[in-house]
Amino acid sequence: MAARNKARKRAFQILFEADQRGAPVQTVLADWLRHARTDDRQPPVSEYTMELVEGYARYADRIDELITTYSVGWSLDRMPVVDRNIVRLGTYELVWVDGTPDAVVIDEAVQLAKEFSTDDSPSFVNGLLGRFKDLKPSLLRTDAE
């Protein structure tokens, strides 16, 4: 498994755990870092995982606002927890991270949905992130104002 793929999967797991625990993602990230240092059985937390989690935390309110605005027929609270966190992570990486092609970000999110969620989830994740890809220039322009 490629390093970035592992980093995304771990970032998703941290976001998911934070959501389940009702804890800040930074707290869960710190827990994962501490466990990785003290227990050889725990997977390491890569720099890219930390970048994704910290970046998501920086824009969490805006990301949730975007998801709420553009997910037709799904409120954030009604959305499956797995899907919500995959879309959160994908939205951060798609809109605010340069250097990774948009198609790769979307494909990786769809793969996470295939691995961890329902049969309908990959198309939901693909559709919503595809919409954000199309809106990306206007989303960034709005955030800069």
Side-chain angles (χ1 to χ4, degrees), residues 11-141:
F12 156 70
Q13 291 169 324
I14 290 167
L15 266 63
F16 177 84
E17 181 178 333
D19 197 353
Q20 289 293 100
R21 287 175 41 189
V25 292
Q26 298 95 327
T27 300
V28 176
L29 175 60
D31 291 346
W32 276 57
L33 289 167
R34 187 176 57 256
H35 291 304
R37 282 193 304 268
T38 60
D39 186 344
D40 292 339
R41 297 170 296 175
Q42 296 298 318
V45 178
S46 72
E47 289 292 324
Y48 197 62
T49 297
M50 288 187 287
E51 180 184 326
L52 290 172
V53 172
E54 290 166 353
Y56 162 75
R58 185 170 37 257
Y59 295 103
D61 290 339
R62 177 68 172 132
I63 289 167
D64 282 356
E65 177 186 315
L66 290 171
I67 294 168
T68 298
T69 300
Y70 293 102
S71 60
V72 178
W74 285 95
S75 67
L76 204 56
D77 292 339
R78 226 181 109 234
M79 205 174 284
V81 178
V82 170
D83 297 0
R84 178 171 58 228
N85 287 290
I86 290 170
V87 171
R88 283 173 167 165
L89 182 62
T91 301
Y92 168 69
E93 193 173 13
L94 186 66
V95 177
W96 285 278
V97 176
D98 293 325
T100 305
D102 293 345
V104 171
V105 172
I106 294 170
D107 183 60
E108 292 276 334
V110 168
Q111 291 305 315
L112 285 172
K114 286 179 181 176
E115 184 174 350
F116 292 104
S117 200
T118 69
D119 290 343
D120 294 331
S121 295
S123 61
F124 172 75
V125 168
N126 185 60
L128 190 52
L129 292 179
R131 181 97 189 263
F132 293 152
K133 178 180 91 56
D134 294 342
L135 295 170
K136 185 175 175 176
S138 65
L139 296 175
L140 289 172
R141 197 168 42 253

